[in-house]
């Protein structure tokens, strides 16, 4: 049972990781907090419900969720961040993105109501399982974990091995120098927002497929945890976001197994405070950020 | 020609004689009744449902001539299921001149508002919250049956239907008052019924992922699970239990019965799901008022709300009954739109304090705790028709109520 909870925690953590990566990417590159990412996570499931309702097959609905969330990320970039470029406008931009997120929640509730809505996934898909080391693990969990790892690997390759990634790293280091070197900073910002938002949408998509329901309030819960994870891993550090997310997922699962489920989110926040007390820059913050950006 | 005074006098005479033409109700100012419901946010499905019942009742009262020549006017406040907002809404309704407040919905909100009702001398009636022991007479009454009678009555029928259930797991929302209280009552009733509790899974209202809870429950291998949380929170747990291969009965307290979303979204996971309540959409030949209400309420929600259809009437008869109860009290106390708010509230409080039974659509017996009692039964989810149905046929239902002390 403990091993099963650990596997479950890793899968849960991998979904946290997708949102936390989105936060970390935007924060690491733009030094700004995009609170709307939480609600793009929430939208991932509802886009699937809407697309399937309009007759799209599930695979297409999933692709649409990623693309639409990515495009909505561009809208957020334009509405909430494009005009607020000065360092002292960071709070304004963050609040603006929070407002955009609240509008998304309201629109979803106006369309689908306030209660969770069933996602059209055949129960056979969700119940199918494979034997792994003598333990029955649901196929859906394995797929989610594999997809998350693929997305993370793709993100790593994109950031470290491609021209787009080089530009993103250049903007992260210094937007002014990047401009002098001929990098189109506006385009890099848009690319970053698109990627981060599509990742959040992917996380929401997987979460709703696994749980069989989409809920309008799920973004709030996941978003707050993702922010805590970003702090635990090290602000702006992609590797820290992934490991922090998996750590939180595993701790949460084990806490429930051992009867501490009622503490819920308190555990995450207590862990964050503890980590920051010991390492103020997070588990992988500080020197690593410089190294990564160099 | 009649002058104005003569016209009013003859209007009053007609009203007193019982021949009350509708138009005459508009001559006096309206009587203000406040309501606190969650009209937006996670609880809006509940709020919209009960609001439809309140409005139907107020339309019916006004269509029958209103109260002592005054129409009823509903002042509506949205608390978004937040206790702090419930308090602000309650104070606003008091200052806006409402004679009585109906709601709020949850146990957490009701136990916050009820003491304030006494402190401010503003009558309030709750028709939904299920946590026991939180009403505060004489100003704050609840006509809904709380869990301390509903759970024993529901569990008794559950055991009758599933005599082989010996070991249970209890899961619930430890953060929300009704959810947490329901968990304690499930544990108490299980012990009294000789059931062994082999696992307990506690979560929070905003918990999004229930996989770890489901793994824990499945691992304890209970014969059944008793769940105490609101519909939006219970739904993902029930679905996750299905995914985990848990194919045994799940008994949820009345928090999921009341609402519109759970039964519509539960899908195939609903095949083993039970809850506790006192009505279904089926007509009741012995109660024509109820049958008529069901037909009209379903029709009303189709045209005035975007709630998923077919709607389950569930406990919406209670807000309807509450409006008629209040209207009866006002009629008898001579309250109309000209009655000063403080005087009207005192008259209502006095009548509520002496209330022992009320026969509306439901027969409600008032307890010494300030709560109502209606005999509850075990209901089963029908995932195909998306309706709650009685789990036992009438001849097999338990008619003996749970122990409680009625008002003397």
């Amino acid at each position: 049972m403990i091993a099963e909870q650990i596997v479950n925690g890793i899968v849960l953590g991998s979904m946290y990781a997708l949102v936390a990566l989105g936060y970390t990417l935007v924060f690491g590159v733009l030094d700004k907090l995009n609170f709307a990412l939480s609600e793009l996570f929430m939208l991932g499931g509802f886009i699937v419900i809407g697309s399937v309702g309009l007759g799209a097959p599930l695979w297409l609905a999933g692709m649409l969720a990623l693309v639409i969330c990515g495009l909505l990320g561009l809208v957020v970039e334009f509405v909430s961040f494009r005009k607020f470029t000065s360092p002292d406008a960071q709070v304004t931009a963050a609040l603006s993105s929070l407002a955009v997120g609240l509008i998304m929640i309201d629109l979803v509730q106006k369309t689908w109501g306030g209660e969770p809505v069933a996602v059209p996934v055949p129960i056979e898909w969700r119940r199918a399982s494979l034997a792994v080391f003598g333990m029955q693990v649901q196929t859906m969990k394995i797929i989610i974990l594999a997809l998350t790892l693929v997305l993370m690997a793709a993100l790593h390759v994109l950031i470290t091995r491609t021209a787009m990634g080089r530009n993103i790293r250049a903007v992260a280091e210094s937007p002014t120098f990047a401009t002098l070197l001929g990098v189109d900073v506006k385009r890099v910002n848009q690319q970053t927002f698109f990627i981060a938002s599509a990742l959040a949408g992917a996380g929401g998509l997987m979460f709703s497929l696994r749980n069989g329901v989409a809920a309008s309030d799920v973004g709030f819960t996941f978003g707050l945890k993702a922010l805590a994870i970003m702090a635990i891993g090290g602000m702006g550090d992609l590797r820290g976001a992934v490991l922090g997310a998996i750590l939180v997922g595993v701790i949460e699962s084990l806490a429930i197994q051992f009867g501490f489920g009622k503490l819920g989110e308190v555990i995450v926040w207590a862990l964050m405070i503890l980590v920051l007390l010991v390492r103020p820059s997070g588990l992988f913050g500080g020197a690593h950020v410089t190294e990564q950006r160099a | 020609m009649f002058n104005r005074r003569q016209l009013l006098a003859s209007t009053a005479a007609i009203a007193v004689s019982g021949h009350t033409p509708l138009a005459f109700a508009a001559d006096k100012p309206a009587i203000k009744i406040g309501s606190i419901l969650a009209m937006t946010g996670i609880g809006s499905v509940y709020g919209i449902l009960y609001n439809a019942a309140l409005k139907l009742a107020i339309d019916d009262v006004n269509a029958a001539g209103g109260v002592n020549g005054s129409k009823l006017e509903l002042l509506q406040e949205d608390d978004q299921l937040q206790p702090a907002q419930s308090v602000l809404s309650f104070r606003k309704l008091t200052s806006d001149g409402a004679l009585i407040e109906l709601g709020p919905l949850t146990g957490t909100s009701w136990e916050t508002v009820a003491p304030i009702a006494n402190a401010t001398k503003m009558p309030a009636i709750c028709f939904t919250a299920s946590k026991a022991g939180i009403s505060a007479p004489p100003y704050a009454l609840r006509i809904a049956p709380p869990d301390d009678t509903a759970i024993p009555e529901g569990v008794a029928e559950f055991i009758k239907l599933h005599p082989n259930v010996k070991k249970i797991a209890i899961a619930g929302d430890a953060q929300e008052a009704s959810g947490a209280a329901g968990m304690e009552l499930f544990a108490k009733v299980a012990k009294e019924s000789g059931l062994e509790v082999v696992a307990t899974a506690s979560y929070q209202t905003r918990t999004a992922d229930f996989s770890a809870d489901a793994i824990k429950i499945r691992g304890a291998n209970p014969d059944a699970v008793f769940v105490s949380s609101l519909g939006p929170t219970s739904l993902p747990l029930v679905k996750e239990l299905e995914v985990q291969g848990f194919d045994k009965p799940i008994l949820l307290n009345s928090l999921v019965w009341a609402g519109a979303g759970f039964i519509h979204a539960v899908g195939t996971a609903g095949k083993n799901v039970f809850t506790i309540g006192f009505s279904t959409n089926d007509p009741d030949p012995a109660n024509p008022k109820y049958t008529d209400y069901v037909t009209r309420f379903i029709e009303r929600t189709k045209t005035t709300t975007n709630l998923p259809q077919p709607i389950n009437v569930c406990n919406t008869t209670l807000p309807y009954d509450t409006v008629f109860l209040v209207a009866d009290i006002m009629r008898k106390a001579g309250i109309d739109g000209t009655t000063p708010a403080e005087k009207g509230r005192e008259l209502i409080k006095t009548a509520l304090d002496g209330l022992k039974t009320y026969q509306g659509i439901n027969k409600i017996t008032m307890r010494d705790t300030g709560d109502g009692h209606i005999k509850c039964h075990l209901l089963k989810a029908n995932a195909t028709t998306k309706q709650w149905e009685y789990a036992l046929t009438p001849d097999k239902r338990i008619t003996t109520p749970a122990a409680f002390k009625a008002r003397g």
Side-chain angles (χ1 to χ4, degrees):
Chain A
M1 198 55 58
I2 303 295
E4 195 174 349
Q5 289 287 21
I6 291 172
V7 171
N8 185 65
I10 292 170
V11 175
L12 179 61
S14 69
M15 288 184 287
Y16 288 149
L18 289 173
V19 191
L21 276 174
Y23 272 123
T24 305
L25 199 57
V26 174
F27 185 81
V29 173
L30 304 175
D31 207 19
K32 284 180 178 165
L33 275 173
N34 175 14
F35 286 115
L37 276 175
S38 314
E39 307 318 330
L40 290 168
F41 173 90
M42 174 272 292
L43 270 181
F46 282 100
I47 291 170
V48 170
I49 292 171
S51 306
V52 171
L54 291 172
L58 199 55
W59 66 267
L60 180 61
M63 295 298 290
L64 280 172
L66 263 65
V67 173
I68 293 173
C69 284
L71 292 173
L72 285 172
L74 295 182
V75 174
V76 175
E77 188 273 334
F78 178 75
V79 172
S80 300
F81 291 92
R82 182 80 61 88
K83 303 287 180 191
F84 305 111
T85 50
S86 64
D88 54 352
Q90 284 183 354
V91 175
T92 314
L95 286 175
S96 175
S97 69
L98 186 68
V100 172
L102 291 174
I103 290 170
M104 288 180 194
I105 295 174
D106 198 51
L107 289 176
V108 164
Q109 289 180 344
K110 290 273 188 299
T111 310
W112 282 283
E115 287 206 67
V117 181
V119 177
V121 193
I123 184 61
E124 295 76 24
W125 292 17
R126 298 179 57 225
R127 283 185 90 153
S129 63
L130 293 172
V132 181
F133 300 117
M135 185 171 50
Q136 285 297 316
V137 181
Q138 283 147 19
T139 316
M140 186 69 87
K141 283 185 182 174
I142 296 170
I143 292 171
I144 287 171
L145 195 55
L147 274 175
T148 306
L149 289 172
V150 167
L151 285 172
M152 287 173 188
L155 181 65
H156 177 75
V157 170
L158 184 117
I159 296 289
T160 57
R161 305 283 168 85
T162 66
M164 186 198 291
R166 193 168 56 240
N167 289 344
I168 289 174
R169 281 183 287 139
V171 173
E173 187 64 31
S174 167
T176 309
F177 282 129
T179 307
L180 291 173
L181 291 170
V183 175
D184 185 342
V185 174
K186 189 176 91 177
R187 174 164 287 189
V188 168
N189 286 350
Q190 288 172 329
Q191 288 166 341
T192 309
F193 266 89
F194 184 91
I195 294 165
S197 304
L199 281 174
L205 164 71
M206 291 180 204
F207 181 77
S208 56
L209 289 179
R210 191 174 84 118
N211 284 20
V213 290
S216 58
D217 63 331
V218 75
F220 179 80
T221 309
F222 259 70
L224 276 181
K225 283 184 186 171
L227 282 172
I229 287 163
M230 182 171 70
I232 290 167
M235 305 287 270
D237 188 284
L238 298 177
R239 185 177 59 179
V242 174
L243 293 177
I246 289 171
L247 180 69
V248 166
V250 171
I251 288 175
E252 273 192 341
S253 288
L254 290 176
I256 288 166
Q257 180 63 33
F258 291 112
F260 297 105
K262 70 176 81 171
L263 295 177
E265 286 156 24
V266 173
I267 294 171
V268 180
W269 295 107
L271 178 67
M272 186 192 82
I273 291 167
L274 187 68
V275 167
L276 295 184
L277 279 174
V278 179
R279 283 184 63 86
S281 55
L283 292 175
F284 294 90
H288 177 70
V289 175
T290 312
E291 170 213 324
Q292 180 180 282
R293 289 178 177 182
Chain B
M1 287 287 283
F2 279 80
N3 63 25
R4 183 176 166 78
R5 183 168 298 198
Q6 286 169 320
L7 186 63
L8 284 173
S10 32
T11 303
I14 292 168
V16 168
S17 71
H19 302 89
T20 315
L22 306 186
F24 293 163
D27 287 342
K28 288 183 182 175
I31 300 171
K32 293 174 182 172
I33 293 180
S35 78
I36 302 175
L37 301 171
M39 298 303 292
T40 55
I42 188 174
S44 60
V45 177
Y46 295 93
I48 292 166
L49 187 73
Y50 296 126
N51 190 49
L54 284 177
K55 283 189 167 170
L56 180 61
I58 284 178
D59 287 352
D60 284 355
V61 169
N62 287 339
V67 174
N68 299 327
S70 289
K71 283 190 171 181
L72 297 184
E73 181 190 349
L74 187 66
L75 306 180
Q76 188 186 73
E77 287 294 317
D78 175 11
D79 70 352
Q80 299 186 321
L81 228 59
Q82 303 293 328
Q85 186 57 45
S86 306
V87 172
L88 293 175
S89 299
F90 189 84
R91 292 194 182 279
K92 181 171 187 300
L93 289 170
T94 307
S95 63
D96 285 350
L99 297 194
I100 186 165
E101 182 276 320
L102 313 181
L105 296 180
T106 66
T108 310
S109 289
W110 179 236
E111 73 179 338
T112 313
V113 162
I116 298 170
N118 275 303
T120 56
K121 299 186 186 302
M122 166 76 161
I125 299 180
C126 177
F127 44 76
T128 50
S130 62
K131 182 184 177 183
I134 55 173
S135 294
Y139 283 90
L141 300 190
R142 162 173 47 187
I143 66 164
D147 269 348
D148 63 346
T149 54
I151 283 183
E153 289 168 354
V155 169
E157 289 195 357
F158 182 84
I159 292 171
K160 188 173 184 180
L161 186 67
H162 301 101
N164 295 327
V165 167
K166 303 292 178 201
K167 296 183 297 177
I168 62 154
I170 294 175
D173 182 347
Q175 188 179 30
E176 198 277 317
S178 296
M183 289 178 76
E184 288 175 17
L185 276 165
F186 269 137
K188 180 172 173 271
V189 173
K191 190 178 174 188
E192 289 166 357
S193 309
L195 303 175
E196 182 191 355
V197 180
V198 292
T200 302
S202 304
Y203 42 83
Q204 297 187 310
T205 309
R206 287 189 180 272
T207 297
D209 186 274
F210 290 88
S211 50
D213 299 277
I215 290 170
K216 182 181 182 184
I217 290 168
R218 193 201 63 211
N221 195 28
D223 301 322
V225 186
F226 292 178
V227 180
S228 175
S229 48
L230 288 164
T233 319
S234 299
L235 180 66
L237 172 65
V238 170
K239 282 189 165 276
E240 186 62 36
L241 284 167
E242 182 193 28
V243 169
Q244 297 279 341
F246 187 83
D247 201 18
K248 296 171 185 174
I250 302 169
L251 173 62
L252 301 110
N253 62 356
S254 58
L255 295 173
V256 303
W257 170 54
F262 181 92
I263 190 74
H264 280 267
V266 72
T268 53
K271 67 175 179 172
N272 294 320
V273 166
F274 297 84
T275 189
I276 301 164
F278 51 80
S279 64
T280 67
N281 280 14
D282 291 337
D284 181 355
N287 188 351
K289 256 187 188 175
Y290 178 75
T291 305
D292 175 59
Y293 172 82
V294 170
T295 311
R296 292 197 308 127
F297 184 73
I298 290 172
E299 202 51 45
R300 162 81 58 132
T301 55
K302 271 185 199 166
T303 53
T304 61
T305 74
N306 62 352
L307 293 172
Q309 299 290 337
I311 200 75
N312 273 260
V313 165
C314 59
N315 60 346
T316 60
T317 49
L318 285 180
Y320 188 89
D321 274 350
T322 305
V323 170
F324 272 82
L325 166 66
V326 170
D328 279 356
I329 287 172
M330 289 173 172
R331 269 192 207 103
K332 287 172 186 163
I335 295 169
D336 61 21
T338 62
T339 308
E342 289 74 18
K343 186 185 172 193
R345 289 168 189 164
E346 271 310 294
L347 289 168
I348 292 170
K349 181 269 292 182
T350 305
L352 287 177
D353 203 26
L355 186 70
K356 291 175 183 165
T357 60
Y358 179 73
Q359 179 68 64
I361 293 175
N362 302 284
K363 185 184 178 193
I364 302 158
T365 305
M366 291 308 296
R367 300 168 53 184
D368 63 346
T369 55
D371 299 317
H373 176 265
I374 301 170
K375 177 71 180 73
C376 288
H377 296 282
L378 186 68
L379 306 179
K380 186 175 187 342
N382 184 328
T384 310
T385 61
K386 297 177 178 175
Q387 298 285 302
W388 291 107
E389 299 169 348
Y390 285 107
L392 297 171
T393 52
D395 57 313
K396 292 189 176 155
R397 284 178 215 153
I398 298 172
T399 52
T400 313
F404 68 88
K405 192 174 171 191
R407 277 183 167 178

